[in-house]
Amino acid sequence: MARLRPSGPTRSVGPIPPRPRGELSAQLLSCLTTDPGCLSRATLSQLLSCADRALVDGIESDDAQLSLWILYQLHYHGLDGVDDHWEWHPLLVQLAGLLEQPFEARLRQLAGPHLPDHRVAADDLPQALADVIRSADGPSLSSFLAREASREQYAEFVIHRSLYHLIEADPHSWAIPRLRGGPKVALVEIQADEYGAGLPDWMHATLFADTMGDLGLDTGYGDYVDALPAVTLEWMNAMTLFGLHRRLRGAVCGHLSALEMTSSLPNRRYGNGLRRLGLSDARTTRYFDEHVEADAVHEQIAANDLSAELARQHPELIIDILVGAACAVITDARVAGHLLDAWKSGRSSLRTV
């Protein structure tokens, strides 16, 4: 019987690899240009040593967060010109684990003060989620965008959001095969709407690209990653971390629940901000207008049929569900604070590249 030959290199056509922001991301990007089957022990040792040194500056540094984002892109659309065989290369799995351990610990530390100090029953989880969200909430970026933001500031906001919204729903969809029964059905119901309910032109990622295009922005995923600070990379990396790991399925469901429970009012304000700026075409505001109605329904499904039902099946996941919800709100608030602080100081919220 003929033996199967190993497949040759398959090159991704995803985002263009970003510019490095330090020794680790530089070494990682250099590694990804090589043949994954010809990795030397010296290269492995050098990359892991770079990771150890990068963590001295903290997991929230630009170098560490960009490196995580690069590693995570291999599980989405890949990176332009990078061999797809790198996705599950043992070296990169090891490197990701080295970065994910302190990142998860930091996220749990941030969530801690907002978690209830008593045991939460599954039937009480929707209220506990609402309490965690209220506790972790930050400055109202949506109010500023509705009432005061310039067109340039609004475009910056959209650029920050593009890191998730141009692949909207993908991080949370990894949870689907990890759930069963009612929670799986609930998650699929939410995600089906996110993906356009059978209509490609109504995929939320497509609607967001329409908004970007009407603002005169590039619409390719990752086109602006070089301009985005570590705090925005952290916001995206948190949901990817939760989505990629089965053991964190409670966190990714809690994360999605928080997004759905906090969506309708801000999106109404975002749409009103565009109309205030004279961008009143239905296509331009459709992304935000669609979420006002859809997420009012999704809020109930996410809190009750997804998270609370998952808690009934697996009471041991209740804490992670609440951690995921807290992290969704906290990381979003950290991005909002960065934008508002920059604008109040009269400067751009984007990195100079």
Side-chain angles (χ1 to χ4, degrees):
M1 184 170 60
R3 296 177 62 185
L4 294 176
R5 294 175 177 268
S7 60
T10 56
R11 302 293 179 181
S12 292
V13 289
I16 295 173
R19 300 176 184 177
R21 301 188 191 179
E23 184 184 21
L24 175 58
S25 51
Q27 184 66 24
L28 174 59
L29 288 165
S30 176
C31 182
L32 291 175
T33 64
T34 65
D35 182 345
C38 300
L39 186 69
S40 69
R41 287 183 178 273
T43 302
L44 168 61
S45 177
Q46 185 177 10
L47 190 55
L48 296 179
S49 294
C50 288
D52 287 336
R53 290 192 292 273
L55 289 174
V56 171
D57 293 331
I59 191 59
E60 295 178 328
S61 70
D62 270 291
D63 196 24
Q65 287 297 320
L66 180 64
S67 297
L68 257 182
W69 185 85
I70 291 167
L71 290 167
Y72 286 159
Q73 295 323 296
L74 303 179
H75 301 296
Y76 287 109
H77 300 295
L79 292 168
D80 187 44
V82 172
D83 191 327
D84 285 338
H85 288 90
W86 277 115
E87 181 181 3
W88 292 110
H89 193 288
L91 162 65
L92 299 194
V93 172
Q94 185 176 355
L95 176 61
L98 191 62
L99 297 174
E100 286 175 334
Q101 184 176 359
F103 185 41
E104 181 182 344
R106 176 58 176 156
L107 291 171
R108 290 185 182 276
Q109 180 187 45
L110 290 170
H114 307 287
L115 302 180
D117 58 5
H118 60 276
R119 185 184 180 93
V120 175
D123 289 346
D124 298 327
L125 189 59
Q127 182 59 53
L129 283 168
D131 292 342
V132 166
I133 288 167
R134 189 178 306 110
S135 171
D137 200 12
S140 181
L141 179 62
S142 61
S143 294
F144 180 85
L145 288 163
R147 301 170 184 167
E148 301 179 49
S150 66
R151 180 171 176 141
E152 291 74 18
Q153 289 170 333
Y154 204 108
E156 285 189 15
F157 158 72
V158 170
I159 287 171
H160 283 271
R161 292 287 178 142
S162 70
L163 202 62
Y164 165 58
H165 292 311
L166 288 178
I167 55 168
E168 185 160 335
D170 289 353
H172 305 97
S173 290
W174 273 312
I176 293 173
R178 294 162 179 171
L179 304 178
R180 59 182 176 85
K184 181 190 286 279
V185 171
L187 180 55
V188 169
E189 182 177 359
I190 293 170
Q191 299 302 78
D193 285 345
E194 301 289 337
Y195 292 125
L199 300 173
D201 289 346
W202 280 86
M203 289 179 61
H204 289 182
T206 301
L207 299 182
F208 195 81
D210 291 341
T211 298
M212 292 186 73
D214 290 349
L215 282 166
L217 300 172
D218 295 336
T219 59
Y221 183 70
D223 283 356
Y224 291 101
V225 68
D226 286 327
L228 297 176
V231 70
T232 303
L233 299 176
E234 174 191 71
W235 169 69
M236 181 66 206
N237 286 340
M239 63 184 93
T240 304
L241 169 70
F242 295 154
L244 275 177
H245 294 274
R246 182 182 178 276
R247 65 180 178 83
L248 296 175
R249 62 196 183 279
V252 77
C253 291
H255 190 284
L256 177 61
S257 294
L259 293 188
E260 301 298 344
M261 294 171 71
T262 58
S263 177
S264 290
L265 181 56
N267 276 291
R268 185 184 300 279
R269 291 171 177 160
Y270 296 145
N272 289 340
L274 283 171
R275 284 181 277 270
R276 175 182 60 80
L277 292 168
L279 296 161
S280 56
D281 187 276
R283 193 184 99 131
T284 309
T285 64
R286 187 173 292 135
Y287 172 86
F288 300 111
D289 296 340
E290 170 70 7
H291 280 73
V292 173
E293 181 176 351
D295 289 350
V297 177
H298 290 175
E299 174 181 355
Q300 299 303 316
I301 298 171
N304 295 285
D305 302 330
L306 174 59
S307 286
E309 187 58 31
L310 179 61
R312 292 186 186 97
Q313 290 181 357
H314 297 283
E316 72 278 9
L317 296 181
I318 289 176
I319 289 299
D320 272 5
I321 292 169
L322 295 173
V323 166
C327 288
V329 180
I330 291 166
T331 56
D332 184 80
R334 284 160 66 87
V335 176
H338 169 80
L339 268 66
L340 291 171
D341 287 347
W343 294 340
K344 287 176 183 177
S345 299
R347 53 187 172 83
S348 171
S349 64
L350 302 174
R351 298 177 71 247
T352 301
V353 295

